[in-house]
Amino acid sequence: MLHALIMAGGAGTRFWPASRQDRPKQLLNLIGERTMIQATADRLVGLVDTHRWLVMTNQTLVQPIRDQLPDFPDQAIIGEPAKRDTAPCIGLAAALIAAKDPQATMIVLPADHVIQPVAAFQSAVQHAVALVDQDPQQLVTFGISPTWPADSYGYIEATGSALADCNLPTWRVARFHEKPDRQTAAGYIDSGNFHWNSGIFVWKAQTVLNALKEYEPEMYRHIDTIAKAGQSEQFESILQQEFPVIEGKSIDFAVMERYPQVLMIQAPFEWDDLGNWSSVPRLAGTDPLGNSITGNHVTIDTTNSIIRSENQHLIVTLGVDNLIVVHTPDATLIADRTQESKIKEVVAQLEKEGRDAYL
């Protein structure tokens, strides 16, 4: 049976002030009417039965996610008591899934990506499931054909020629590469055998657990202790006790860069991790003057700007270019788009000053 894990624990500070600790990026409707986590769940409809969905997040987001996904059973949303990166998150989910379904195949996907069209995504997942069924020891991931030398993504290096007899272009993985500088990324693209790392995976739950047991035995020991509590009354207390002492590590470092049998499918769908405000116009589109605007606004002689207003608050811009203007009920950001990378510094400064109400 196919199970799904939605990872929804990120903070998304690059989208401040819309994004906050209790309302991070995945809970925002940055593109369209549905929030990002709702759109992620929508993509699973018809692919994975809803009773085989699992969401892993942090404790503060459990209730907000329940509010946005009201059809989810309470036990299908698990709040991690500490931030420990993707390997412990995936490992615990795999252990809980395998306890219920020892032969389970699982898809792992972040809650804050934009993927379209849905039909192409579901077809690609079905292809990945077929590969795992053919060889349960395989781990399968999806590579995105790069369109520019991005230095904000990890890369997957393919080896040799695409495999024969596959419905979609599929390669064996030679190496995973961490985020490069721009010059290195350009070299990757010129070589023709590198793809962006989507962070989406398909595998047997037991296979990834076995890999963690081999490569990260201490992490596995804590995960196994938590999972054995299962649906018992002690589960929450054991989770609180065991999870925070796990060493945080990404699944790429813990498993993918070490495992000898990894396949990469070239994604047939459009993908974007929506990393900052400037990525919104790329997906939502712009008006003839290059503006991407959401909410109540009046613009005069305004060009190449991103403007977002909440609660019908009117934003008026006059004679400006290349700005980010984001209004929320208690904070407003006005920034030159060339300075967008410093939004994280704003959040850090607020934290340093103890202004927690704005975090």
Side-chain angles (χ1 to χ4, degrees):
M1 292 288 189
L2 182 60
H3 297 248
L5 165 63
I6 299 174
M7 297 185 293
T13 55
R14 292 173 181 160
F15 285 92
W16 189 90
S19 177
R20 304 292 181 89
Q21 290 178 346
D22 61 351
R23 193 182 63 163
K25 166 184 162 187
Q26 59 268 29
L27 299 184
L28 300 177
N29 58 332
L30 296 169
I31 304 294
E33 296 299 319
R34 300 283 278 173
T35 67
M36 301 195 77
I37 193 170
Q38 288 172 333
T40 301
D42 292 345
R43 284 193 291 275
L44 294 172
V45 174
L47 181 68
V48 185
D49 288 346
T50 55
H51 69 277
R52 294 197 296 272
W53 294 0
L54 181 64
V55 175
M56 297 287 289
T57 185
N58 63 62
Q59 288 184 332
T60 61
L61 296 182
V62 169
Q63 191 55 53
I65 288 175
R66 284 176 179 162
D67 294 340
Q68 291 206 2
L69 301 175
D71 295 334
F72 259 53
D74 286 351
Q75 64 271 22
I77 303 174
I78 296 176
E80 300 171 359
K83 185 177 180 180
R84 290 296 179 265
D85 216 323
T86 54
C89 165
I90 290 171
L92 178 56
L96 293 172
I97 290 170
K100 296 179 181 178
D101 180 2
Q103 302 303 316
T105 299
M106 61 186 290
I107 176 173
V108 177
L109 62 166
D112 58 356
H113 291 176
V114 178
I115 294 174
Q116 53 189 358
V118 171
F121 168 76
Q122 293 194 351
S123 176
V125 173
Q126 289 166 343
H127 175 54
V129 170
L131 292 173
V132 171
D133 286 344
Q134 290 170 15
D135 183 353
Q137 298 308 308
Q138 299 279 12
L139 304 181
V140 180
T141 188
F142 295 88
I144 310 299
S145 297
T147 52
W148 74 90
D151 54 8
S152 57
Y153 299 148
Y155 284 74
I156 304 172
E157 181 181 358
T159 182
S161 302
L163 300 181
D165 301 323
C166 285
N167 295 332
L168 295 172
T170 304
W171 287 267
R172 297 199 179 279
V173 170
R175 287 185 61 193
F176 285 80
H177 296 261
E178 295 306 307
K179 298 173 183 178
D181 57 39
R182 185 60 64 93
Q183 183 177 355
T184 302
Y188 288 169
I189 292 179
D190 289 343
S191 76
N193 61 332
F194 283 77
H195 290 68
W196 289 335
N197 185 351
S198 70
I200 304 172
F201 309 99
V202 175
W203 47 47
K204 290 290 184 182
Q206 191 59 55
T207 299
V208 77
L209 279 175
N210 291 342
L212 282 171
K213 186 176 183 179
E214 178 180 354
Y215 301 131
E216 299 288 341
E218 186 66 14
M219 181 187 298
Y220 176 84
R221 184 176 66 81
H222 293 294
I223 288 170
D224 188 54
T225 299
I226 299 168
K228 282 178 177 176
Q231 301 298 316
S232 72
E233 294 180 358
Q234 289 76 39
F235 176 78
E236 189 62 35
S237 63
I238 293 175
L239 176 66
Q240 295 288 336
Q241 175 183 319
E242 296 287 332
F243 199 87
V245 300
I246 298 175
E247 178 186 0
K249 190 171 289 189
S250 74
I251 195 67
D252 286 351
F253 278 130
V255 174
M256 305 303 288
E257 295 181 4
R258 298 158 150 179
Y259 197 80
Q261 293 178 257
V262 182
L263 297 180
M264 181 199 72
I265 299 170
Q266 181 175 293
F269 47 81
E270 296 178 16
W271 171 93
D272 200 299
D273 79 339
L274 210 67
N276 54 29
W277 284 115
S278 288
S279 61
V280 172
R282 187 168 66 239
L283 296 169
T286 61
D287 66 18
L289 296 178
N291 301 307
S292 182
I293 303 174
T294 302
N296 196 10
H297 69 280
V298 172
T299 55
I300 299 174
D301 294 333
T302 297
T303 54
N304 304 313
S305 293
I306 299 166
I307 301 168
R308 181 183 176 95
S309 177
E310 297 183 11
N311 300 333
Q312 290 303 304
H313 179 90
L314 176 65
I315 291 180
V316 180
T317 55
L318 173 61
V320 300
D321 175 64
N322 213 46
L323 288 185
I324 299 171
V325 182
V326 182
H327 172 271
T328 68
D330 64 346
T332 300
L333 170 70
I334 303 172
D336 189 307
R337 287 181 65 174
T338 63
Q339 301 295 306
E340 181 175 15
S341 63
K342 295 183 178 180
I343 291 177
K344 280 192 166 185
E345 295 180 22
V346 173
V347 176
Q349 183 68 21
L350 292 171
E351 187 173 10
K352 181 179 178 180
E353 295 177 2
R355 305 177 77 171
D356 295 349
Y358 300 102
L359 295 175

